[in-house]
Amino acid sequence: MTTLQLTHAPILNSSAQVLILPVNTASIFLDPVLMRTKTLYPDNYQRYHRACRDGSLEVGSCLLHKRVREQAGLSASHNGNQPIYVANLTVSDHPYHPARSQWLKTALVDLQQQLIPLIRYQGVRKVALLARPLIFDHSSTNIISKEESSTNSLPLDWQTFTLPLITQYLQHLPKLRTEVHVPRSVPIAS
């Protein structure tokens, strides 16, 4: 059974073995953390960008990338705190289009299926998920009913849809600790 923990800690300081990044199929990052990952994990970004460009990355999928270990400079001694894998969770077709329930569900199922062998055979015990690109603030808009949100035409609400979906699809993975990194604007219940 997975231990799911919400945290405000910076995801790039996490010691997780798998870093899960919600991305789009346009290979454009608007989130500052995602933009930072382009330079921190260039091998992952190159593979992701190539998959977007050639059309092989579909919305609702997960592109799992095993990182290349740096061999020179100070990075070689610092590899212990960096993720071994980066999971590009494709939840949107454009950076200005929010995730939709069906896209998020199928991407989480794909992620789940790819994590099972890593847990079983590679000893992966800790993953970290960047939640900010999945959070939509409805406070500036009218109240949206649960039925309207489930039609896939409106952004998903964090408390009503997104967090329950993440919990549903990741909680049954064995021996795994999942950190969900949320912005400070999202309250964390103790």
Side-chain angles (χ1 to χ4, degrees):
M1 193 71 129
T2 296
T3 305
L4 192 81
Q5 175 188 4
L6 296 180
T7 180
H8 289 138
I11 192 167
L12 297 178
N13 292 343
S14 173
S15 61
Q17 296 158 296
V18 179
L19 187 64
I20 305 167
L21 305 174
V23 296
N24 57 66
T25 57
S27 77
I28 300 170
F29 294 154
L30 298 178
D31 186 273
V33 175
L34 289 176
M35 287 192 286
R36 180 80 175 111
T37 63
K38 283 172 66 170
T39 55
L40 285 175
Y41 317 121
D43 54 328
N44 173 65
Y45 182 74
Q46 289 169 358
R47 182 170 177 217
Y48 159 71
H49 180 70
R50 192 170 40 252
C52 290
R53 193 178 60 227
D54 67 21
S56 63
L57 188 62
E58 297 177 7
V59 180
S61 64
C62 179
L63 175 66
L64 186 67
H65 174 72
K66 184 171 183 177
R67 295 200 47 247
V68 177
R69 304 291 264 191
E70 291 89 3
Q71 299 299 321
L74 296 175
S75 298
S77 63
H78 188 62
N79 275 339
N81 196 33
Q82 293 188 358
I84 300 167
Y85 296 92
V86 177
N88 299 285
L89 199 64
T90 314
V91 295
S92 176
D93 58 354
H94 193 274
Y96 290 117
H97 300 166
R100 296 182 181 168
S101 62
Q102 189 58 41
W103 293 343
L104 183 57
K105 285 178 191 176
T106 56
L108 287 169
V109 167
D110 195 11
L111 171 67
Q112 182 185 43
Q113 292 171 350
Q114 293 185 52
L115 283 177
I116 289 171
L118 296 181
I119 294 166
R120 193 172 286 157
Y121 304 115
Q122 303 296 319
V124 168
R125 296 291 175 253
K126 187 175 179 183
V127 300
L129 170 69
L130 176 64
R132 184 177 19 215
L134 298 173
I135 296 174
F136 180 76
D137 183 16
H138 289 297
S139 63
S140 62
T141 61
N142 296 332
I143 301 298
I144 297 171
S145 71
K146 192 171 188 173
E147 295 79 28
E148 287 177 309
S149 266
S150 63
T151 63
N152 274 337
S153 61
L154 297 171
L156 301 177
D157 180 70
W158 172 252
Q159 293 294 338
T160 310
F161 291 100
T162 309
L163 183 58
L165 282 175
I166 291 169
T167 303
Q168 176 186 349
Y169 288 100
L170 297 183
Q171 75 179 353
H172 296 296
L173 293 170
K175 303 176 188 173
L176 189 66
R177 180 173 170 212
T178 303
E179 291 179 347
V180 180
H181 294 261
V182 296
R184 297 224 180 265
S185 61
V186 175
I188 297 176
S190 300

